[in-house]
Structures are given as structure tokens and as C-alpha cells.
DNA sequence: TGGTAGATCAATCGTGTATCAATTTTACGG
DNA sequence: CCGTAAAATTGATACACGATTGATCTACCA
């Protein structure tokens, strides 16, 4: 029969928005009790309408993650301890958790090299090399390739959360991603203070999709297994 | 296409379609809450008609695996427990997918060794050592420690899916799990045909919880990164 | 009976706009 | 310094519109 399993369709936008915000809560980017920006401003920042945004907020309120006060604002309400009801994936310190940040090593628009898997539609891509931290301890280096068709990126535009940058500066957001975790060795451009190129380490490949059939981003992450591990929580 | 006349016994096409999709759920290709493509597109992708496809969807809805929302879409609905039977098995062949199976190497009730992290309440645990396969190619070895307080296991009781065994033979269901992926080396009891002890490999630690605050199971998995990788899909 | 094809209906989504209600902030008078 | 009222801010609610999508029905074929 048809060996054609289909690619998943995009979820309703308000669901994606809710999950985007919930991710920010889980990663610590949104703290307990913090007040969100006004709905109107937030809607324009996220390139959506107030109605859609409010549906997302309604979802979060229903999950007990948000307290909505008329005339005052929307307040984060952190529920229960770690590993709430949301399945998370990320790099964590061996001791658990950690507030993520990143330092850009290099950013350049380049021709896609031949050793990259096929993704996107353009022949060029923006290459970003970063060093990643959890609580100010370096845990990984990564190389991100963003298809040129998605827009131009400059160093000044980057924030700690790349996906947030994509949304605010380029007007699209990542709706789907796939990680493949394996083992590898540190690349030759690894900063000397991080480690020696060739050292065995954890290795993550990630494809990211937006609202089109072809992946728009491909990234490789090399993480130090003595300091961090890839964590997946399942409910 | 090519509806070749077959023997009196071929399953109706819509049943085959339903089973195809259910298998995608079980293997984790379709995740909880995910939205399927529009029926029209899905029908053409699967080389069938909308009517036939809808019969298949109707079957899945009747089984509680699908939530159909008019005007919105078809959403995967996880049935009791953590998704499908293999939803928690996240290793895939490098070429993608693969049907999982396992061969028991050893099963023994033992005192918990000191190098194990604390879990459960008993001082003893059942140790299971298995070799794991995807499509009959060996991809990993694993060691599972089930707290003695959960019941007695015998070799004859084991099926390919341990969690299903727990449910059917011991009467509890794993509701939550946490994976930590890193790198390691093959243990000294690795079967010779699988690899040489000490060889670098991928390494997964997993804690599993049932209906009590303390973890009831701890497992370690060593996988061959040249044949499989740990996969995580995100929406 | 099972599968295909097409037309039509109904519900939802995303967006935009307007209006109301509750709260906070500010300004003013004492 | 205090109290009150007005102004500004912000969330809540409602409706309209077009596009998308599932639901239903009929006709036809093997």
C-alpha cells in the first residue's frame, strides 16, 4: 500500500503561542509572579492579533500557569515543582536545571557546504556559531544554519533565544523540530577555553520547520557530558 | 491504485489505513496532541478517497485514539498511559524508524548495588539485562532495575514491551519517565557479537514513576551510535 | 458491499474592530 | 500628608468577515 506516511499538520496558532510561552516558563525565562506585557503590545510583538493571543492566554490560565487580572495584567503563576505537566527537552546541568544563555562566536552568510544535509530551498544560509551556558558554566558549542530564504540576520539582532529572534525579527516561528542525539567529537573551531577539538562529546542534530514543508534550519550541538546531559521528561 | 482482486480475506482498505496510523502512534511518529493534515490532502497523499479515509478516522476515533474537531482538524489523543506501547522507546535507526524488539540476556533478583542511584523503597530489585533490536538489527544493550516492592518478575512473563508487562502482570502503569542522554562505554557484560566492552557509545539513564512519589524503575541503555540515535520530535 | 468522485453544509480559526468594565496611575484640592 | 476624582491603562466581551476544514449527502462504478 501507500508507503507515504504524512507530515504532521501545524497546530492552531493559539496552541503554538501557548506552548511557546510555557516553554519560556519552563526554561526560567519567565519567572514566577512576573507580569507579561500588555496584551495589545504583546500581540503586535508576536505578530498576531489580540483575539488569538487571548486564546493562548486562556489555555495557559486553564493549565494554572497564568493569573489574569482585569485592569492589571497577566501574571505568571508557576505551578508545582520541576517537570510540571509539560514534556520538556533540553540540555540540563547534571545537577539539574540551569538558566540558559548563549554567546555568539561567529555569524556569517555562506554557501551551504556539501557536508550539510539538504534543507530549505536556497543555496545559501546564515551560519551562527555559539557557545552555550547554563548558569554561566559553558556546556556546549553549536553551529546553526538558517536557510537564506528566511531572511537576513545580523549579530545585533540575536537574543539568547534564537526562536524568539526569528519570531520578532524575521516574523516566523518554529512549529516543529526533530532532535537526534548521538555521540561525536568537538569541532576544530571549538574555543580553547571550552575544550580540545577531537574530544569525545555528546552530539545533537536538529531540524526545525516553520509553516512550510521543508526544514528551514539545521543545527549541530556538541555538549560536554561531564557538565550537562540531554534530558527528556515524559508524562 | 491497482486494486488487484485478492483472496476472500483481504482487510478492507480503511482498516488497513487505520492500522497504519495506529502504528505511527505506537512508534511515536505521531505524538499526542498532534494535528493530522487536512483530510483532502491526506487522502491524496495516501492514494485513497476522502470517504475511505474518513472511515479509517472513524475507527480510530471509536478506539479513542483520535479527536475529530469540525472546522479545526484531527488531533491525536493519547490513550491511557504514556501514549502508545512504544511511545517511551526513543531509539531509531539512522535511516529512521524501525520496529522494536528485545531479547532477554539475564533476569535475577538482587540486592541493589551501591553504585545505583537511590530509587524505590525496597533494598532489593529485579535486574533485567536485554539486547534491543530495531528491524532485527541489534542497536543497544540495557540494564533495568525494577524495585522489589513492585512485585516478582519471571523470565516467562516478559514481553517485548516491559511497560505492557508491568501493566498486565504486576498491575501498575508507568505514568512518568525521565531520560538523561549522554555518552558512555559498553559494559563488561556486553555480548561479544554486539561489541567490545569499553567501546564509546551513547548512554541513556531513565527513571520511571508509577502512582507513587518515588521512582519504581531505573534503567541504563548503551546504544551503538553508528546504527541508532536517540530521537525526539517536538511540535 | 466497498471504493471513488463531487457538491454542499456547518463549524472553527485567524483577524480586525469596537465597546465595556476593572484597575492603576495621576492630578488636584484640602 | 491625605483623600478624592479624573485620566490612562488594561483586560473582558461581542460581533463581523474571509479562509480553512470537517461533516453530510448523492451519484456512480466494480
Amino acid at each position: 500500500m501507500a508507503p507515504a506516511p504524512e507530515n504532521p499538520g501545524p497546530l492552531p496558532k493559539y496552541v503554538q503561542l501557548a506552548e511557546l510561552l510555557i516553554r519560556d516558563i519552563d526554561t526560567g525565562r519567565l519567572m514566577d509572579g512576573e507580569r507579561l506585557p500588555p496584551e495589545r503590545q504583546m500581540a503586535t510583538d508576536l505578530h498576531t492579533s489580540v483575539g488569538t493571543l487571548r486564546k493562548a492566554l486562556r489555555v495557559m490560565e486553564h493549565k494554572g500557569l497564568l493569573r489574569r487580572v482585569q485592569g492589571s495584567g497577566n501574571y505568571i503563576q508557576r505551578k508545582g515543582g520541576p517537570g510540571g505537566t509539560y514534556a520538556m527537552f533540553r540540555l540540563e546541568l547534571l545537577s539539574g536545571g540551569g538558566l540558559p544563555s548563549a554567546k555568539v562566536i561567529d555569524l556569517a552568510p555562506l554557501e551551504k557546504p556539501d557536508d550539510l544535509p539538504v534543507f530549505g530551498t536556497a543555496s545559501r544560509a546564515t551560519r551562527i556559531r555559539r557557545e552555550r551556558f547554563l548558569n554561566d558554566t559553558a556546556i556546549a558549542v553549536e553551529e546553526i544554519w538558517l536557510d537564506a530564504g528566511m531572511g537576513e540576520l545580523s549579530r545585533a539582532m540575536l537574543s539568547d533565544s534564537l526562536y524568539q529572534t526569528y519570531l520578532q525579527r524575521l516574523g516566523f516561528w518554529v512549529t516543529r523540530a526533530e532532535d537526534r542525539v548521538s555521540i561525536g567529537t568537538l569541532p576544530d573551531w571549538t574555543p580553547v577555553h571550552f575544550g580540545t577539538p577531537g574530544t569525545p562529546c555528546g552530539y545533537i542534530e536538529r531540524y526545525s520547520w516553520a509553516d512550510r514543508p521543508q526544514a528551514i534550519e539545521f543545527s549541530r550541538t556538541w555538549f560536554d557530558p561531564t557538565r550537562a546531559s540531554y534530558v527528556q521528561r515524559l508524562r
Side-chain angles (χ1 to χ4, degrees), chain A:
Chain A
M1 194 177 33
E6 58 299 327
N7 49 332
L11 289 164
K13 194 161 286 187
Y14 70 96
V15 176
Q16 296 180 30
L17 280 174
E19 295 191 349
L20 179 74
L21 294 172
I22 291 175
R23 264 198 291 272
D24 281 347
I25 295 176
D26 280 345
T27 57
R29 200 167 287 117
L30 290 177
M31 305 295 287
D32 187 23
E34 185 170 332
R35 186 171 99 172
L36 296 179
E39 293 183 353
R40 290 165 180 77
Q41 175 189 335
M42 208 164 161
T44 58
D45 286 350
L46 297 174
H47 295 92
T48 186
S49 73
V50 182
T52 305
L53 173 65
R54 299 193 90 256
K55 281 185 182 176
L57 298 180
R58 172 93 69 188
V59 170
M60 295 181 63
E61 182 184 32
H62 187 264
K63 290 188 176 182
L65 294 170
L66 198 66
R67 191 166 48 95
R68 316 184 68 189
V69 185
Q70 183 176 178
S72 176
N74 294 305
Y75 299 87
I76 299 295
Q77 200 171 19
R78 182 118 171 86
K79 200 180 177 182
T85 54
Y86 191 71
M88 270 301 295
F89 71 99
R90 58 175 157 165
L91 287 174
E92 286 190 9
L93 292 175
L94 296 184
S95 55
L99 187 65
S101 60
K103 191 177 72 177
V104 176
I105 297 173
D106 183 61
L107 184 149
L110 296 169
E111 287 287 322
K112 289 179 185 173
D114 292 337
D115 63 327
L116 272 195
V118 286
F119 75 100
T121 54
S123 63
R124 298 177 67 83
T126 303
R127 188 190 68 186
I128 306 167
R129 286 176 171 171
R130 307 197 301 177
E131 188 175 3
R132 293 187 51 179
F133 302 84
L134 285 176
N135 288 350
D136 298 325
T137 67
I139 50 124
V141 291
E142 68 181 356
E143 183 175 273
I144 301 145
W145 293 86
L146 175 67
D147 191 72
M150 303 310 293
E152 294 277 333
L153 272 180
S154 71
R155 201 148 170 167
M157 295 162 65
L158 299 183
S159 69
D160 278 351
S161 168
L162 258 189
Y163 289 169
Q164 203 164 311
T165 303
Y166 293 163
L167 177 56
Q168 293 180 353
R169 316 302 294 242
L170 300 181
F172 71 91
W173 64 56
V174 171
T175 61
R176 192 160 61 92
E178 181 173 319
D179 285 353
R180 309 189 88 91
V181 188
S182 184
I183 74 176
T185 56
L186 289 179
D188 52 14
W189 51 270
T190 303
V192 286
H193 63 269
F194 183 88
T196 311
T199 304
C201 63
Y203 176 64
I204 309 169
E205 285 187 349
R206 165 175 293 183
Y207 294 87
S208 302
W209 288 267
D211 258 342
R212 59 199 72 190
Q214 288 178 326
I216 53 97
E217 185 201 75
F218 172 76
S219 75
R220 302 162 166 164
T221 302
W222 295 265
F223 67 92
D224 182 345
T226 66
R227 290 178 237 163
S229 60
Y230 183 93
V231 176
Q232 166 66 20
R233 297 195 173 84
L234 308 148
R235 38 177 176 162

